[in-house]
Amino acid sequence: MKILLIEDEFELQKSIKQYFEMEGNIVEIALDYGKAEQKIAIYDYDCILVDITLPDGSGLDLIKEIKNKKSKAGIIIISAKNSLDDKIYGLDLGADDYLPKPFHLSELNSRIKALIRRKSFDGNLEIVTNEIKILPFERSVFVHNKKVVLTSKEYDLLLYFIANKNRVVSKNALAEHLWGDNADRLDNFDFIYNHVKNLRKKLLEKKCEDYLRTIYGIGYNFKTQE
């Protein structure tokens, strides 16, 4: 999962980043309105955490920009400014949830996971695609009820493919999803080929149907229907 944290409080940034990266997620930081605006314009995210009060602007205005971009990212407001008017206005603008500070990171984690399930997988605790079953809370994958041992990147790749099944996904989109804005510094996308190859091999070893299609010069298609 790729998360953008828009927050200027250093200790809270550090805590959230460490917590979610320990779970295998990518967490990018924007310290202020200007940096957040740049990242939102260039990159795609699964979830965006927005503080309302920023040094150079309002997080509520950023929510407007996110929605104007037609972003599919889930939006959670995290703010010490616990005003009912701000909460209602933020939700009316299109935010999906509101969590007042201070909060427990475990609660934020649960809210993010619930939000991603609602947006990408109809709120299901189990994600089932034909013979493939994924348990997001455990980050576990099964094929024909036999566990498939995947690396963190392979798991993220499979989940991304299933969330976008039967669509062509570009190598650039995969690179951003797996490495965040560090993907801009990569010389080539050979690592994506290696991850896809390893993921396909592990799925096939468990007698999974070969759903992965290479779209030469573009990317991949996880094709589950003809």
Side-chain angles (χ1 to χ4, degrees):
M1 181 163 51
K2 187 177 172 188
I3 300 168
L4 174 61
L5 172 60
I6 305 169
E7 170 63 60
D8 65 326
E9 188 181 328
F10 177 74
E11 287 302 323
L12 182 58
Q13 280 177 25
K14 184 179 175 182
S15 297
I16 292 175
K17 185 175 176 65
Q18 287 179 344
Y19 184 95
F20 284 95
E21 287 184 341
M22 284 283 288
E23 292 218 335
N25 302 291
I26 294 171
V27 182
E28 295 177 9
I29 303 289
L31 298 168
D32 53 39
Y33 187 100
K35 290 184 177 65
E37 193 174 33
Q38 291 173 7
K39 285 183 174 292
I40 289 165
I42 299 171
Y43 303 110
D44 293 319
Y45 298 93
D46 298 302
C47 184
I48 301 176
L49 306 176
V50 184
D51 188 7
I52 291 179
T53 307
L54 297 169
D56 54 345
S58 168
L60 295 172
D61 290 331
L62 282 173
I63 293 172
K64 291 180 189 175
E65 294 202 30
I66 295 166
K67 303 311 289 186
N68 287 338
K69 190 196 169 192
K70 309 295 184 187
S71 170
K72 295 179 181 178
I75 303 171
I76 298 179
I77 297 171
I78 52 169
S79 182
K81 193 175 181 182
N82 195 16
S83 153
L84 179 61
D85 288 343
D86 286 328
K87 178 178 180 178
I88 292 172
Y89 187 45
L91 294 172
D92 285 346
L93 287 173
D96 299 283
D97 203 349
Y98 185 106
L99 187 59
K101 299 176 186 176
F103 51 79
H104 292 289
L105 292 175
S106 56
E107 181 181 2
L108 176 61
N109 190 21
S110 293
R111 292 199 187 207
I112 290 176
K113 286 180 176 178
L115 175 56
I116 297 302
R117 287 201 310 273
R118 288 199 305 271
K119 283 190 164 288
S120 300
F121 303 107
D122 299 322
N124 295 318
L125 293 175
E126 293 185 356
I127 300 163
V128 179
T129 299
N130 298 342
E131 68 272 34
I132 302 171
K133 179 171 71 175
I134 300 175
L135 304 180
F137 274 95
E138 301 174 11
R139 289 178 69 85
S140 299
V141 176
F142 299 84
V143 172
H144 297 299
N145 293 317
K146 294 180 180 178
K147 189 167 185 177
V148 186
V149 179
L150 301 178
T151 66
S152 179
K153 293 299 184 189
E154 290 163 1
Y155 173 86
D156 289 341
L157 188 60
L158 177 61
L159 197 63
Y160 190 73
F161 276 137
I162 289 179
N164 294 278
K165 61 187 177 184
N166 302 310
R167 302 175 188 165
V168 176
V169 179
S170 72
K171 291 180 182 178
N172 189 64
L174 287 173
E176 282 188 17
H177 186 76
L178 293 177
W179 263 269
D181 55 10
N182 290 324
D184 291 343
R185 305 186 188 104
L186 298 170
D187 294 329
N188 58 60
F189 293 146
D190 289 348
F191 70 93
I192 292 178
Y193 168 78
N194 290 327
H195 283 306
V196 171
K197 181 181 72 172
N198 292 335
L199 172 62
R200 176 186 272 135
K201 179 182 177 183
K202 290 179 180 181
L203 293 176
L204 292 177
E205 284 174 350
K206 299 297 183 182
K207 310 300 182 186
C208 184
E209 186 75 24
D210 189 6
Y211 297 112
L212 277 163
R213 304 286 184 269
T214 301
I215 311 299
Y216 290 100
I218 301 174
Y220 298 92
N221 183 359
F222 196 86
K223 195 170 181 60
T224 61
Q225 63 186 33
E226 296 301 329

